[in-house]
Amino acid sequence: MNYDVLIIGAGPGGIYSAYELINKNPDLKIAVFDTGCELKKRRCPIDGKKVKTCINCKTCAIMNGFGGAGAFSDGKYNITNDFGGTLHKYIGKNTAIELMEYVDKINCKYGGEKTKLYSTANSEFKRKCLQSDLHLLDAQVRHLGTDINYVVLGNLYKELSERVDFHFNTSVEHIEVQGDSKYKITTANGEFTGDACIVSVGRSGSAWIEQVCRELDIETSSNRVDIGVRVEIPAEVFAHITDELYESKIVYKTRKYADHVRTFCMNPRGVVVNENTNGLVTVNGHSYEDPRLHTDNTNFALLVSKHFTEPFKDSNGYGESIARLSNMLGGGVIVQRLGDLIKGQRSTPSRIADSFTSPTLDATPGDLSLVMPKRILDDIIEMLEALDKIAPGTASPDTLLYGVEVKFYNMEVKLDNNLMTKYKNLFIIGDGSGVTHSLSHASASGVYVARLLTQ
């Protein structure tokens, strides 16, 4: 079957590519392929009772399907060039911001209109951070919440499904270049051709995209992996920050090693959750727009970025090995009181029960020092002590640390300034390209290439 545009991946990049294509040219024939299911059929079998650990489903319902890995996230769209990827280096800073703002308007149109847009601009908190050698990155943040994010995606799918052919539970095995700007993809359900191909497979497609690049002789370069913990504290400790900014991206350079540690994915009055990444159980956080779903705690990640040089190239493999060790020792995620970590003792169920901070995730009490490299733990402890200066109570002995949290990044694919490979109208976008690392950047990249194709 022949289409005008083939889109591989139904995450943010693929969704916004399709959305912009049909709105710019309703006559286009578009197909979207994804290994997962449509949104309402995405269900992880882990229920914490009958099924407590990953059973290695053929396709992970958390990572794949309409909405991508972000479908069950807390729905934060950061409008900034300071973090979330390097999209601006390809298309320009102004264009990147304009596209992120455009995506924000669409999210509001499809169900997010009552959510709040936060901003760090002109914040007094920024001055306080600098006084403590902490650096607050500038951004506007639209927080949809896990609940409203799901609504927005559902509304988008309802409209797109009437005008776009979705092929779910369909893995693309190969991409073949057929002459100038003609592509054939091979799936278990048949072959499809198109005049343009947009690849947006997200982080879960990292191994597949490397295979495609090898087969098509597309150059790639090594990227990084972020390793750390998820911190859980009483909500009041960070309330003066989260009430004003909601999400604060704070970067600190440690005195001991000169490593950069950053806060990530802050969830005021949220919950800590398990995340299954290709069979590895790591930790993440969610928060909700609905006040009825709020908790007494706030959680956020502290991540240390590790870049590797020759001869080592497998940054994701390094992160996976640490996550696998955590799964081996704790049967999944390990939780430890900060006071226990500093004293060099493992947390026990009784110590966790006696903590003034009640955990929102039923994790295994243990010892993170048996899992994570000393350097990374030293960085995290130093960062917590720095944060304690602007939010007293952050470095309390009862602060809970969940490990491990790992953020994997794809190999960075060599692309031109239009996010196009060396083949005409073969684009690689979103987190699968190694260029973007966020919902907003991935979505914006989809809009950008769609506009190129409809000029």
Side-chain angles (χ1 to χ4, degrees):
M1 186 177 294
N2 186 64
Y3 290 93
D4 294 306
V5 183
L6 304 169
I7 299 174
I8 304 173
I15 290 170
Y16 275 94
S17 293
Y19 178 90
E20 194 68 2
L21 285 168
I22 61 174
N23 279 277
K24 291 292 185 181
N25 187 348
D27 295 328
L28 286 174
K29 192 175 180 182
I30 302 164
V32 178
F33 301 83
D34 198 280
T35 58
C37 304
E38 61 181 279
L39 188 64
K40 65 181 181 181
K41 294 183 179 179
R42 293 180 63 177
R43 293 287 185 274
C44 177
I46 299 176
D47 57 10
K49 297 177 182 178
K50 292 183 178 180
V51 182
K52 295 184 178 181
T53 59
C54 178
I55 59 174
N56 296 309
C57 298
K58 183 178 180 181
T59 300
C60 179
I62 297 298
M63 301 300 291
N64 305 109
F66 188 86
F72 304 109
S73 71
D74 61 328
K76 281 197 289 284
Y77 280 76
N78 297 296
I79 304 174
T80 180
N81 288 320
D82 282 358
F83 54 88
T86 57
L87 181 63
H88 63 280
K89 293 183 178 180
Y90 293 81
I91 66 175
K93 289 185 176 181
N94 291 338
T95 300
I97 292 294
E98 288 169 5
L99 292 177
M100 284 184 260
E101 290 173 340
Y102 174 71
V103 168
D104 180 61
K105 290 177 182 177
I106 296 170
N107 285 337
C108 290
K109 175 183 176 182
Y110 284 88
E113 67 278 359
K114 293 183 180 180
T115 59
K116 187 174 180 181
L117 182 67
Y118 297 82
S119 176
T120 60
N122 302 315
S123 169
E124 172 66 16
F125 177 60
K126 189 169 187 175
R127 181 180 66 83
K128 293 179 180 178
C129 283
L130 288 171
Q131 290 173 341
S132 300
D133 203 21
L134 295 163
H135 302 270
L136 178 67
L137 303 182
D138 288 329
Q140 288 182 295
V141 182
R142 172 76 64 184
H143 176 244
L144 297 176
T146 306
D147 44 355
I148 303 302
N149 185 48
Y150 190 89
V151 171
V152 171
L153 287 171
N155 290 335
L156 280 167
Y157 177 69
K158 183 178 179 181
E159 178 167 320
L160 289 174
S161 61
E162 296 174 355
R163 305 164 68 184
V164 173
D165 290 348
F166 282 93
H167 299 263
F168 290 114
N169 301 305
T170 304
S171 298
V172 175
E173 297 167 2
H174 300 286
I175 300 175
E176 183 181 332
V177 181
Q178 296 188 318
D180 186 26
S181 189
K182 190 72 176 180
Y183 299 94
K184 181 175 78 173
I185 63 172
T186 304
T187 77
N189 298 325
E191 297 178 343
F192 303 84
T193 57
D195 298 323
C197 184
I198 300 172
V199 180
S200 183
V201 294
R203 295 175 199 171
S204 63
S206 60
W208 180 83
I209 198 70
E210 288 183 39
Q211 172 194 319
V212 168
C213 288
R214 284 195 301 270
E215 291 176 350
L216 297 180
D217 194 28
I218 298 172
E219 188 178 335
T220 62
S221 58
S222 181
N223 215 313
R224 73 175 201 255
V225 63
D226 292 347
I227 301 169
V229 299
R230 183 150 292 264
V231 180
E232 188 165 41
I233 55 177
E236 288 78 8
V237 173
F238 257 66
H240 63 295
I241 302 168
T242 56
D243 287 352
E244 178 185 354
L245 307 178
Y246 194 87
E247 166 96 275
S248 52
K249 296 281 190 180
I250 303 170
V251 180
Y252 174 71
K253 184 164 72 173
T254 62
R255 288 184 169 86
K256 188 170 185 178
Y257 300 112
D259 289 338
H260 285 86
V261 190
R262 63 188 175 98
T263 62
F264 177 81
C265 187
M266 192 165 288
N267 297 288
R269 299 193 176 277
V271 294
V272 179
V273 299
N274 288 323
E275 181 172 84
N276 190 313
T277 305
N278 298 325
L280 291 174
V281 180
T282 55
V283 66
N284 208 331
H286 288 174
S287 55
Y288 299 90
E289 181 68 17
D290 188 345
R292 293 173 296 179
L293 300 174
H294 289 179
T295 71
D296 294 329
N297 293 349
T298 287
N299 69 77
F300 56 91
L302 287 184
L303 299 174
V304 182
S305 294
K306 301 309 298 179
H307 297 261
F308 295 95
T309 56
E310 296 292 343
F312 187 73
K313 296 181 180 180
D314 190 7
S315 56
N316 282 350
Y318 178 78
E320 288 172 1
S321 68
I322 293 175
R324 195 170 288 111
L325 183 57
S326 171
N327 289 184
M328 182 191 303
L329 294 178
V333 172
I334 292 173
V335 61
Q336 187 172 22
R337 293 172 60 253
L338 176 60
D340 292 335
L341 176 64
I342 292 174
K343 288 180 180 179
Q345 63 187 20
R346 70 182 294 265
S347 288
T348 61
S350 61
R351 289 191 180 116
I352 295 295
D354 287 342
S355 173
F356 284 113
T357 305
S358 298
T360 58
L361 175 67
D362 183 18
T364 303
D367 188 352
L368 291 170
S369 70
L370 296 177
V371 174
M372 301 180 69
K374 178 179 183 298
R375 177 170 181 154
I376 290 176
L377 283 179
D378 286 349
D379 287 339
I380 288 168
I381 292 170
E382 190 177 328
M383 172 64 152
L384 286 167
E385 291 170 347
L387 288 173
D388 198 70
K389 297 175 183 177
I390 60 170
T394 303
S396 162
D398 284 331
T399 290
L400 299 178
L401 307 178
Y402 298 83
V404 295
E405 181 144 351
V406 185
K407 297 304 174 192
F408 300 102
Y409 298 93
N410 282 28
M411 299 286 284
E412 191 159 329
V413 181
K414 186 174 182 179
L415 304 169
D416 67 13
N417 288 341
N418 289 325
L419 305 178
M420 187 159 44
T421 67
K422 65 182 184 179
Y423 301 101
K424 184 180 178 182
N425 289 343
L426 175 60
F427 301 90
I428 301 181
I429 65 169
D431 290 14
S433 65
V435 172
T436 75
H437 314 311
S438 68
L439 295 175
S440 52
H441 282 228
S443 302
S445 69
V447 174
Y448 183 81
V449 298
R451 289 181 178 178
L452 279 176
L453 289 171
T454 52
Q455 286 179 347

